[in-house]
PDB file of all heavy atoms in Angstrom:
ATOM      1  N   GLY A 168      52.170 215.209  92.830  1.00 88.00           N
ATOM      2  CA  GLY A 168      51.236 214.256  93.410  1.00 88.00           C
ATOM      3  C   GLY A 168      50.679 213.283  92.388  1.00 88.00           C
ATOM      4  O   GLY A 168      50.865 213.446  91.175  1.00 88.00           O
ATOM      5  N   PRO A 169      49.993 212.254  92.867  1.00 93.00           N
ATOM      6  CA  PRO A 169      49.420 211.241  91.974  1.00 93.00           C
ATOM      7  C   PRO A 169      48.219 211.786  91.208  1.00 93.00           C
ATOM      8  O   PRO A 169      47.655 212.823  91.587  1.00 93.00           O
ATOM      9  CB  PRO A 169      48.989 210.143  92.955  1.00 93.00           C
ATOM     10  CG  PRO A 169      48.694 210.887  94.229  1.00 93.00           C
ATOM     11  CD  PRO A 169      49.703 211.992  94.292  1.00 93.00           C
ATOM     12  N   PRO A 170      47.799 211.110  90.143  1.00 95.00           N
ATOM     13  CA  PRO A 170      46.608 211.540  89.400  1.00 95.00           C
ATOM     14  C   PRO A 170      45.374 211.549  90.295  1.00 95.00           C
ATOM     15  O   PRO A 170      45.252 210.740  91.215  1.00 95.00           O
ATOM     16  CB  PRO A 170      46.476 210.487  88.289  1.00 95.00           C
ATOM     17  CG  PRO A 170      47.850 209.923  88.136  1.00 95.00           C
ATOM     18  CD  PRO A 170      48.450 209.944  89.515  1.00 95.00           C
ATOM     19  N   ILE A 171      44.471 212.475  90.018  1.00 94.00           N
ATOM     20  CA  ILE A 171      43.214 212.603  90.762  1.00 94.00           C
ATOM     21  C   ILE A 171      42.103 212.022  89.897  1.00 94.00           C
ATOM     22  O   ILE A 171      41.994 212.359  88.715  1.00 94.00           O
ATOM     23  CB  ILE A 171      42.921 214.079  91.085  1.00 94.00           C
ATOM     24  CG1 ILE A 171      44.065 214.670  91.919  1.00 94.00           C
ATOM     25  CG2 ILE A 171      41.586 214.230  91.813  1.00 94.00           C
ATOM     26  CD1 ILE A 171      44.030 216.186  91.994  1.00 94.00           C
ATOM     27  N   GLU A 172      41.279 211.160  90.462  1.00 94.00           N
ATOM     28  CA  GLU A 172      40.230 210.502  89.686  1.00 94.00           C
ATOM     29  C   GLU A 172      38.845 211.060  90.002  1.00 94.00           C
ATOM     30  O   GLU A 172      38.568 211.450  91.130  1.00 94.00           O
ATOM     31  CB  GLU A 172      40.233 208.995  89.967  1.00 94.00           C
ATOM     32  CG  GLU A 172      41.489 208.268  89.534  1.00 94.00           C
ATOM     33  CD  GLU A 172      41.402 206.776  89.787  1.00 94.00           C
ATOM     34  OE1 GLU A 172      40.555 206.364  90.616  1.00 94.00           O
ATOM     35  OE2 GLU A 172      42.166 206.012  89.163  1.00 94.00           O
ATOM     36  N   PHE A 173      38.014 211.084  88.975  1.00 93.00           N
ATOM     37  CA  PHE A 173      36.602 211.405  89.166  1.00 93.00           C
ATOM     38  C   PHE A 173      35.809 210.794  88.017  1.00 93.00           C
ATOM     39  O   PHE A 173      36.361 210.470  86.954  1.00 93.00           O
ATOM     40  CB  PHE A 173      36.371 212.924  89.256  1.00 93.00           C
ATOM     41  CG  PHE A 173      36.631 213.682  87.969  1.00 93.00           C
ATOM     42  CD1 PHE A 173      35.581 214.028  87.119  1.00 93.00           C
ATOM     43  CD2 PHE A 173      37.917 214.047  87.611  1.00 93.00           C
ATOM     44  CE1 PHE A 173      35.806 214.735  85.947  1.00 93.00           C
ATOM     45  CE2 PHE A 173      38.152 214.759  86.427  1.00 93.00           C
ATOM     46  CZ  PHE A 173      37.102 215.101  85.599  1.00 93.00           C
ATOM     47  N   TYR A 174      34.510 210.614  88.235  1.00 92.00           N
ATOM     48  CA  TYR A 174      33.649 210.101  87.179  1.00 92.00           C
ATOM     49  C   TYR A 174      33.225 211.258  86.285  1.00 92.00           C
ATOM     50  O   TYR A 174      32.864 212.331  86.772  1.00 92.00           O
ATOM     51  CB  TYR A 174      32.405 209.425  87.769  1.00 92.00           C
ATOM     52  CG  TYR A 174      32.686 208.113  88.449  1.00 92.00           C
ATOM     53  CD1 TYR A 174      32.531 207.970  89.821  1.00 92.00           C
ATOM     54  CD2 TYR A 174      33.104 207.004  87.706  1.00 92.00           C
ATOM     55  CE1 TYR A 174      32.799 206.761  90.456  1.00 92.00           C
ATOM     56  CE2 TYR A 174      33.369 205.782  88.335  1.00 92.00           C
ATOM     57  CZ  TYR A 174      33.216 205.678  89.705  1.00 92.00           C
ATOM     58  OH  TYR A 174      33.487 204.486  90.314  1.00 92.00           O
ATOM     59  N   GLY A 175      33.262 211.042  84.977  1.00 91.00           N
ATOM     60  CA  GLY A 175      32.854 212.109  84.083  1.00 91.00           C
ATOM     61  C   GLY A 175      32.845 211.692  82.633  1.00 91.00           C
ATOM     62  O   GLY A 175      33.207 210.564  82.274  1.00 91.00           O
ATOM     63  N   ASN A 176      32.427 212.620  81.813  1.00 91.00           N
ATOM     64  CA  ASN A 176      32.366 212.423  80.370  1.00 91.00           C
ATOM     65  C   ASN A 176      33.277 213.467  79.727  1.00 91.00           C
ATOM     66  O   ASN A 176      33.180 214.662  80.041  1.00 91.00           O
ATOM     67  CB  ASN A 176      30.912 212.585  79.904  1.00 91.00           C
ATOM     68  CG  ASN A 176      30.770 212.483  78.410  1.00 91.00           C
ATOM     69  OD1 ASN A 176      31.121 213.401  77.676  1.00 91.00           O
ATOM     70  ND2 ASN A 176      30.221 211.365  77.944  1.00 91.00           N
ATOM     71  N   ILE A 177      34.157 213.064  78.843  1.00 93.00           N
ATOM     72  CA  ILE A 177      35.149 213.988  78.306  1.00 93.00           C
ATOM     73  C   ILE A 177      34.514 215.108  77.473  1.00 93.00           C
ATOM     74  O   ILE A 177      35.001 216.234  77.443  1.00 93.00           O
ATOM     75  CB  ILE A 177      36.228 213.234  77.492  1.00 93.00           C
ATOM     76  CG1 ILE A 177      37.411 214.184  77.212  1.00 93.00           C
ATOM     77  CG2 ILE A 177      35.642 212.649  76.207  1.00 93.00           C
ATOM     78  CD1 ILE A 177      38.635 213.471  76.680  1.00 93.00           C
ATOM     79  N   SER A 178      33.401 214.813  76.821  1.00 91.00           N
ATOM     80  CA  SER A 178      32.723 215.860  76.036  1.00 91.00           C
ATOM     81  C   SER A 178      32.149 216.932  76.950  1.00 91.00           C
ATOM     82  O   SER A 178      32.234 218.136  76.653  1.00 91.00           O
ATOM     83  CB  SER A 178      31.610 215.240  75.181  1.00 91.00           C
ATOM     84  OG  SER A 178      32.150 214.348  74.230  1.00 91.00           O
ATOM     85  N   ASP A 179      31.572 216.513  78.084  1.00 91.00           N
ATOM     86  CA  ASP A 179      31.078 217.485  79.066  1.00 91.00           C
ATOM     87  C   ASP A 179      32.240 218.258  79.681  1.00 91.00           C
ATOM     88  O   ASP A 179      32.144 219.465  79.937  1.00 91.00           O
ATOM     89  CB  ASP A 179      30.293 216.778  80.167  1.00 91.00           C
ATOM     90  CG  ASP A 179      29.005 216.147  79.651  1.00 91.00           C
ATOM     91  OD1 ASP A 179      28.501 216.607  78.606  1.00 91.00           O
ATOM     92  OD2 ASP A 179      28.517 215.196  80.282  1.00 91.00           O
ATOM     93  N   LEU A 180      33.342 217.558  79.935  1.00 93.00           N
ATOM     94  CA  LEU A 180      34.523 218.187  80.528  1.00 93.00           C
ATOM     95  C   LEU A 180      35.051 219.299  79.638  1.00 93.00           C
ATOM     96  O   LEU A 180      35.433 220.375  80.131  1.00 93.00           O
ATOM     97  CB  LEU A 180      35.607 217.127  80.754  1.00 93.00           C
ATOM     98  CG  LEU A 180      36.946 217.609  81.301  1.00 93.00           C
ATOM     99  CD1 LEU A 180      36.769 218.272  82.660  1.00 93.00           C
ATOM    100  CD2 LEU A 180      37.925 216.440  81.390  1.00 93.00           C
ATOM    101  N   GLU A 181      35.064 219.079  78.333  1.00 92.00           N
ATOM    102  CA  GLU A 181      35.536 220.103  77.392  1.00 92.00           C
ATOM    103  C   GLU A 181      34.822 221.434  77.588  1.00 92.00           C
ATOM    104  O   GLU A 181      35.424 222.501  77.496  1.00 92.00           O
ATOM    105  CB  GLU A 181      35.304 219.634  75.955  1.00 92.00           C
ATOM    106  CG  GLU A 181      36.352 218.745  75.382  1.00 92.00           C
ATOM    107  CD  GLU A 181      36.105 218.494  73.912  1.00 92.00           C
ATOM    108  OE1 GLU A 181      35.248 217.640  73.594  1.00 92.00           O
ATOM    109  OE2 GLU A 181      36.736 219.163  73.079  1.00 92.00           O
ATOM    110  N   GLN A 182      33.517 221.367  77.845  1.00 89.00           N
ATOM    111  CA  GLN A 182      32.711 222.577  77.966  1.00 89.00           C
ATOM    112  C   GLN A 182      32.997 223.340  79.261  1.00 89.00           C
ATOM    113  O   GLN A 182      32.676 224.515  79.371  1.00 89.00           O
ATOM    114  CB  GLN A 182      31.215 222.216  77.918  1.00 89.00           C
ATOM    115  CG  GLN A 182      30.812 221.413  76.697  1.00 89.00           C
ATOM    116  CD  GLN A 182      31.187 222.104  75.394  1.00 89.00           C
ATOM    117  OE1 GLN A 182      30.943 223.296  75.223  1.00 89.00           O
ATOM    118  NE2 GLN A 182      31.777 221.348  74.474  1.00 89.00           N
ATOM    119  N   GLN A 183      33.605 222.682  80.242  1.00 88.00           N
ATOM    120  CA  GLN A 183      33.867 223.304  81.539  1.00 88.00           C
ATOM    121  C   GLN A 183      35.216 224.014  81.598  1.00 88.00           C
ATOM    122  O   GLN A 183      35.480 224.760  82.535  1.00 88.00           O
ATOM    123  CB  GLN A 183      33.824 222.243  82.649  1.00 88.00           C
ATOM    124  CG  GLN A 183      32.509 221.510  82.774  1.00 88.00           C
ATOM    125  CD  GLN A 183      32.603 220.367  83.772  1.00 88.00           C
ATOM    126  OE1 GLN A 183      33.188 220.507  84.838  1.00 88.00           O
ATOM    127  NE2 GLN A 183      32.035 219.227  83.433  1.00 88.00           N
ATOM    128  N   LEU A 184      36.069 223.769  80.620  1.00 91.00           N
ATOM    129  CA  LEU A 184      37.441 224.271  80.672  1.00 91.00           C
ATOM    130  C   LEU A 184      37.641 225.475  79.759  1.00 91.00           C
ATOM    131  O   LEU A 184      36.999 225.576  78.708  1.00 91.00           O
ATOM    132  CB  LEU A 184      38.409 223.153  80.264  1.00 91.00           C
ATOM    133  CG  LEU A 184      38.406 221.912  81.172  1.00 91.00           C
ATOM    134  CD1 LEU A 184      39.142 220.761  80.490  1.00 91.00           C
ATOM    135  CD2 LEU A 184      39.030 222.232  82.519  1.00 91.00           C
ATOM    136  N   PRO A 185      38.540 226.394  80.123  1.00 87.00           N
ATOM    137  CA  PRO A 185      38.809 227.562  79.265  1.00 87.00           C
ATOM    138  C   PRO A 185      39.452 227.120  77.951  1.00 87.00           C
ATOM    139  O   PRO A 185      40.541 226.521  77.954  1.00 87.00           O
ATOM    140  CB  PRO A 185      39.770 228.411  80.107  1.00 87.00           C
ATOM    141  CG  PRO A 185      40.346 227.475  81.115  1.00 87.00           C
ATOM    142  CD  PRO A 185      39.307 226.443  81.384  1.00 87.00           C
ATOM    143  N   PRO A 186      38.806 227.384  76.815  1.00 88.00           N
ATOM    144  CA  PRO A 186      39.284 226.870  75.528  1.00 88.00           C
ATOM    145  C   PRO A 186      40.603 227.474  75.057  1.00 88.00           C
ATOM    146  O   PRO A 186      41.278 226.895  74.200  1.00 88.00           O
ATOM    147  CB  PRO A 186      38.141 227.233  74.569  1.00 88.00           C
ATOM    148  CG  PRO A 186      37.476 228.419  75.204  1.00 88.00           C
ATOM    149  CD  PRO A 186      37.575 228.178  76.686  1.00 88.00           C
ATOM    150  N   GLU A 187      40.982 228.629  75.619  1.00 87.00           N
ATOM    151  CA  GLU A 187      42.223 229.247  75.167  1.00 87.00           C
ATOM    152  C   GLU A 187      43.460 228.460  75.584  1.00 87.00           C
ATOM    153  O   GLU A 187      44.506 228.546  74.927  1.00 87.00           O
ATOM    154  CB  GLU A 187      42.326 230.693  75.668  1.00 87.00           C
ATOM    155  CG  GLU A 187      42.329 230.859  77.183  1.00 87.00           C
ATOM    156  CD  GLU A 187      40.942 230.959  77.772  1.00 87.00           C
ATOM    157  OE1 GLU A 187      39.960 230.685  77.050  1.00 87.00           O
ATOM    158  OE2 GLU A 187      40.846 231.326  78.958  1.00 87.00           O
ATOM    159  N   SER A 188      43.365 227.672  76.654  1.00 91.00           N
ATOM    160  CA  SER A 188      44.545 226.915  77.098  1.00 91.00           C
ATOM    161  C   SER A 188      44.320 225.403  77.141  1.00 91.00           C
ATOM    162  O   SER A 188      45.283 224.634  77.067  1.00 91.00           O
ATOM    163  CB  SER A 188      45.009 227.406  78.474  1.00 91.00           C
ATOM    164  OG  SER A 188      43.947 227.349  79.410  1.00 91.00           O
ATOM    165  N   PHE A 189      43.073 224.953  77.281  1.00 95.00           N
ATOM    166  CA  PHE A 189      42.796 223.513  77.327  1.00 95.00           C
ATOM    167  C   PHE A 189      42.216 223.065  75.994  1.00 95.00           C
ATOM    168  O   PHE A 189      41.243 223.645  75.504  1.00 95.00           O
ATOM    169  CB  PHE A 189      41.827 223.183  78.459  1.00 95.00           C
ATOM    170  CG  PHE A 189      42.473 223.217  79.824  1.00 95.00           C
ATOM    171  CD1 PHE A 189      42.595 224.411  80.511  1.00 95.00           C
ATOM    172  CD2 PHE A 189      42.959 222.060  80.411  1.00 95.00           C
ATOM    173  CE1 PHE A 189      43.186 224.462  81.763  1.00 95.00           C
ATOM    174  CE2 PHE A 189      43.555 222.093  81.662  1.00 95.00           C
ATOM    175  CZ  PHE A 189      43.671 223.297  82.345  1.00 95.00           C
ATOM    176  N   HIS A 190      42.808 222.015  75.437  1.00 96.00           N
ATOM    177  CA  HIS A 190      42.356 221.569  74.115  1.00 96.00           C
ATOM    178  C   HIS A 190      42.351 220.041  74.054  1.00 96.00           C
ATOM    179  O   HIS A 190      43.278 219.379  74.550  1.00 96.00           O
ATOM    180  CB  HIS A 190      43.283 222.116  73.034  1.00 96.00           C
ATOM    181  CG  HIS A 190      42.706 222.019  71.660  1.00 96.00           C
ATOM    182  ND1 HIS A 190      41.741 222.886  71.177  1.00 96.00           N
ATOM    183  CD2 HIS A 190      42.941 221.131  70.668  1.00 96.00           C
ATOM    184  CE1 HIS A 190      41.424 222.550  69.952  1.00 96.00           C
ATOM    185  NE2 HIS A 190      42.126 221.482  69.618  1.00 96.00           N
ATOM    186  N   ARG A 191      41.297 219.510  73.453  1.00 96.00           N
ATOM    187  CA  ARG A 191      41.220 218.062  73.258  1.00 96.00           C
ATOM    188  C   ARG A 191      42.068 217.692  72.053  1.00 96.00           C
ATOM    189  O   ARG A 191      41.838 218.168  70.935  1.00 96.00           O
ATOM    190  CB  ARG A 191      39.768 217.632  73.055  1.00 96.00           C
ATOM    191  CG  ARG A 191      39.589 216.113  73.060  1.00 96.00           C
ATOM    192  CD  ARG A 191      38.117 215.756  73.075  1.00 96.00           C
ATOM    193  NE  ARG A 191      37.902 214.322  73.083  1.00 96.00           N
ATOM    194  CZ  ARG A 191      36.695 213.762  73.091  1.00 96.00           C
ATOM    195  NH1 ARG A 191      35.608 214.528  73.098  1.00 96.00           N
ATOM    196  NH2 ARG A 191      36.566 212.449  73.092  1.00 96.00           N
ATOM    197  N   VAL A 192      43.069 216.844  72.293  1.00 97.00           N
ATOM    198  CA  VAL A 192      44.000 216.494  71.218  1.00 97.00           C
ATOM    199  C   VAL A 192      43.860 215.034  70.796  1.00 97.00           C
ATOM    200  O   VAL A 192      44.525 214.591  69.845  1.00 97.00           O
ATOM    201  CB  VAL A 192      45.454 216.761  71.667  1.00 97.00           C
ATOM    202  CG1 VAL A 192      45.624 218.221  72.066  1.00 97.00           C
ATOM    203  CG2 VAL A 192      45.862 215.848  72.826  1.00 97.00           C
ATOM    204  N   HIS A 193      43.004 214.304  71.488  1.00 96.00           N
ATOM    205  CA  HIS A 193      42.830 212.875  71.248  1.00 96.00           C
ATOM    206  C   HIS A 193      41.498 212.485  71.887  1.00 96.00           C
ATOM    207  O   HIS A 193      41.011 213.187  72.771  1.00 96.00           O
ATOM    208  CB  HIS A 193      44.001 212.111  71.892  1.00 96.00           C
ATOM    209  CG  HIS A 193      44.043 210.648  71.611  1.00 96.00           C
ATOM    210  ND1 HIS A 193      43.303 209.731  72.319  1.00 96.00           N
ATOM    211  CD2 HIS A 193      44.772 209.936  70.717  1.00 96.00           C
ATOM    212  CE1 HIS A 193      43.557 208.522  71.873  1.00 96.00           C
ATOM    213  NE2 HIS A 193      44.448 208.608  70.895  1.00 96.00           N
ATOM    214  N   ARG A 194      40.917 211.391  71.462  1.00 95.00           N
ATOM    215  CA  ARG A 194      39.632 211.001  72.062  1.00 95.00           C
ATOM    216  C   ARG A 194      39.755 210.728  73.557  1.00 95.00           C
ATOM    217  O   ARG A 194      38.766 210.778  74.282  1.00 95.00           O
ATOM    218  CB  ARG A 194      39.033 209.792  71.344  1.00 95.00           C
ATOM    219  CG  ARG A 194      39.840 208.524  71.416  1.00 95.00           C
ATOM    220  CD  ARG A 194      39.248 207.451  70.515  1.00 95.00           C
ATOM    221  NE  ARG A 194      40.036 206.230  70.501  1.00 95.00           N
ATOM    222  CZ  ARG A 194      39.852 205.209  71.329  1.00 95.00           C
ATOM    223  NH1 ARG A 194      38.890 205.273  72.232  1.00 95.00           N
ATOM    224  NH2 ARG A 194      40.613 204.135  71.262  1.00 95.00           N
ATOM    225  N   SER A 195      40.984 210.487  74.033  1.00 96.00           N
ATOM    226  CA  SER A 195      41.180 210.171  75.448  1.00 96.00           C
ATOM    227  C   SER A 195      41.935 211.246  76.232  1.00 96.00           C
ATOM    228  O   SER A 195      42.160 211.071  77.434  1.00 96.00           O
ATOM    229  CB  SER A 195      41.951 208.844  75.592  1.00 96.00           C
ATOM    230  OG  SER A 195      41.232 207.781  74.999  1.00 96.00           O
ATOM    231  N   TYR A 196      42.318 212.344  75.573  1.00 97.00           N
ATOM    232  CA  TYR A 196      43.146 213.333  76.260  1.00 97.00           C
ATOM    233  C   TYR A 196      42.694 214.779  76.009  1.00 97.00           C
ATOM    234  O   TYR A 196      42.355 215.146  74.878  1.00 97.00           O
ATOM    235  CB  TYR A 196      44.611 213.238  75.788  1.00 97.00           C
ATOM    236  CG  TYR A 196      45.303 211.954  76.132  1.00 97.00           C
ATOM    237  CD1 TYR A 196      45.391 210.925  75.191  1.00 97.00           C
ATOM    238  CD2 TYR A 196      45.892 211.756  77.381  1.00 97.00           C
ATOM    239  CE1 TYR A 196      46.038 209.734  75.484  1.00 97.00           C
ATOM    240  CE2 TYR A 196      46.543 210.573  77.695  1.00 97.00           C
ATOM    241  CZ  TYR A 196      46.614 209.561  76.743  1.00 97.00           C
ATOM    242  OH  TYR A 196      47.254 208.387  77.043  1.00 97.00           O
ATOM    243  N   ILE A 197      42.717 215.561  77.073  1.00 97.00           N
ATOM    244  CA  ILE A 197      42.618 217.015  76.980  1.00 97.00           C
ATOM    245  C   ILE A 197      43.897 217.564  77.603  1.00 97.00           C
ATOM    246  O   ILE A 197      44.243 217.228  78.748  1.00 97.00           O
ATOM    247  CB  ILE A 197      41.394 217.566  77.735  1.00 97.00           C
ATOM    248  CG1 ILE A 197      40.099 217.099  77.066  1.00 97.00           C
ATOM    249  CG2 ILE A 197      41.432 219.094  77.787  1.00 97.00           C
ATOM    250  CD1 ILE A 197      38.836 217.542  77.784  1.00 97.00           C
ATOM    251  N   VAL A 198      44.608 218.386  76.862  1.00 97.00           N
ATOM    252  CA  VAL A 198      45.915 218.884  77.289  1.00 97.00           C
ATOM    253  C   VAL A 198      45.829 220.353  77.678  1.00 97.00           C
ATOM    254  O   VAL A 198      45.100 221.130  77.053  1.00 97.00           O
ATOM    255  CB  VAL A 198      46.954 218.701  76.146  1.00 97.00           C
ATOM    256  CG1 VAL A 198      48.241 219.442  76.450  1.00 97.00           C
ATOM    257  CG2 VAL A 198      47.242 217.219  75.934  1.00 97.00           C
ATOM    258  N   ASN A 199      46.565 220.711  78.711  1.00 96.00           N
ATOM    259  CA  ASN A 199      46.716 222.117  79.085  1.00 96.00           C
ATOM    260  C   ASN A 199      47.948 222.642  78.360  1.00 96.00           C
ATOM    261  O   ASN A 199      49.083 222.306  78.708  1.00 96.00           O
ATOM    262  CB  ASN A 199      46.888 222.244  80.608  1.00 96.00           C
ATOM    263  CG  ASN A 199      47.018 223.694  81.052  1.00 96.00           C
ATOM    264  OD1 ASN A 199      46.928 224.616  80.244  1.00 96.00           O
ATOM    265  ND2 ASN A 199      47.238 223.904  82.336  1.00 96.00           N
ATOM    266  N   PHE A 200      47.749 223.474  77.333  1.00 96.00           N
ATOM    267  CA  PHE A 200      48.868 223.980  76.541  1.00 96.00           C
ATOM    268  C   PHE A 200      49.916 224.686  77.402  1.00 96.00           C
ATOM    269  O   PHE A 200      51.095 224.722  77.058  1.00 96.00           O
ATOM    270  CB  PHE A 200      48.356 224.937  75.468  1.00 96.00           C
ATOM    271  CG  PHE A 200      47.688 224.250  74.297  1.00 96.00           C
ATOM    272  CD1 PHE A 200      46.798 224.948  73.490  1.00 96.00           C
ATOM    273  CD2 PHE A 200      47.944 222.916  74.005  1.00 96.00           C
ATOM    274  CE1 PHE A 200      46.183 224.324  72.405  1.00 96.00           C
ATOM    275  CE2 PHE A 200      47.335 222.285  72.921  1.00 96.00           C
ATOM    276  CZ  PHE A 200      46.453 222.991  72.116  1.00 96.00           C
ATOM    277  N   GLU A 201      49.469 225.254  78.514  1.00 92.00           N
ATOM    278  CA  GLU A 201      50.401 225.959  79.400  1.00 92.00           C
ATOM    279  C   GLU A 201      51.486 225.023  79.932  1.00 92.00           C
ATOM    280  O   GLU A 201      52.608 225.455  80.226  1.00 92.00           O
ATOM    281  CB  GLU A 201      49.638 226.581  80.574  1.00 92.00           C
ATOM    282  CG  GLU A 201      50.501 227.374  81.547  1.00 92.00           C
ATOM    283  CD  GLU A 201      49.703 228.016  82.658  1.00 92.00           C
ATOM    284  OE1 GLU A 201      48.476 228.202  82.490  1.00 92.00           O
ATOM    285  OE2 GLU A 201      50.300 228.335  83.700  1.00 92.00           O
ATOM    286  N   ASN A 202      51.155 223.726  80.032  1.00 95.00           N
ATOM    287  CA  ASN A 202      52.094 222.757  80.588  1.00 95.00           C
ATOM    288  C   ASN A 202      52.605 221.764  79.556  1.00 95.00           C
ATOM    289  O   ASN A 202      53.009 220.645  79.897  1.00 95.00           O
ATOM    290  CB  ASN A 202      51.447 222.033  81.774  1.00 95.00           C
ATOM    291  CG  ASN A 202      51.257 222.964  82.957  1.00 95.00           C
ATOM    292  OD1 ASN A 202      52.117 223.802  83.237  1.00 95.00           O
ATOM    293  ND2 ASN A 202      50.134 222.842  83.643  1.00 95.00           N
ATOM    294  N   VAL A 203      52.579 222.195  78.293  1.00 95.00           N
ATOM    295  CA  VAL A 203      53.227 221.430  77.227  1.00 95.00           C
ATOM    296  C   VAL A 203      54.656 221.949  77.084  1.00 95.00           C
ATOM    297  O   VAL A 203      54.882 223.161  77.030  1.00 95.00           O
ATOM    298  CB  VAL A 203      52.465 221.588  75.893  1.00 95.00           C
ATOM    299  CG1 VAL A 203      53.302 221.066  74.722  1.00 95.00           C
ATOM    300  CG2 VAL A 203      51.132 220.844  75.951  1.00 95.00           C
ATOM    301  N   ASP A 204      55.612 221.031  77.031  1.00 94.00           N
ATOM    302  CA  ASP A 204      57.011 221.437  76.863  1.00 94.00           C
ATOM    303  C   ASP A 204      57.286 221.781  75.403  1.00 94.00           C
ATOM    304  O   ASP A 204      57.833 222.839  75.087  1.00 94.00           O
ATOM    305  CB  ASP A 204      57.929 220.311  77.339  1.00 94.00           C
ATOM    306  CG  ASP A 204      59.357 220.778  77.531  1.00 94.00           C
ATOM    307  OD1 ASP A 204      59.598 221.999  77.429  1.00 94.00           O
ATOM    308  OD2 ASP A 204      60.246 219.949  77.789  1.00 94.00           O
TER     309      ASP A 204
END
Side-chain angles (χ1 to χ4, degrees):
I171 301 166
E172 296 182 340
F173 68 98
Y174 289 113
N176 176 285
I177 193 168
S178 296
D179 294 337
L180 177 60
E181 276 187 280
Q182 305 304 313
Q183 301 173 43
L184 298 167
E187 61 273 11
S188 55
F189 284 85
H190 195 77
R191 189 171 180 180
V192 302
H193 186 277
R194 63 188 177 91
S195 300
Y196 295 97
I197 294 177
V198 169
N199 181 3
F200 284 158
E201 182 178 339
N202 291 321
V203 167
D204 195 7

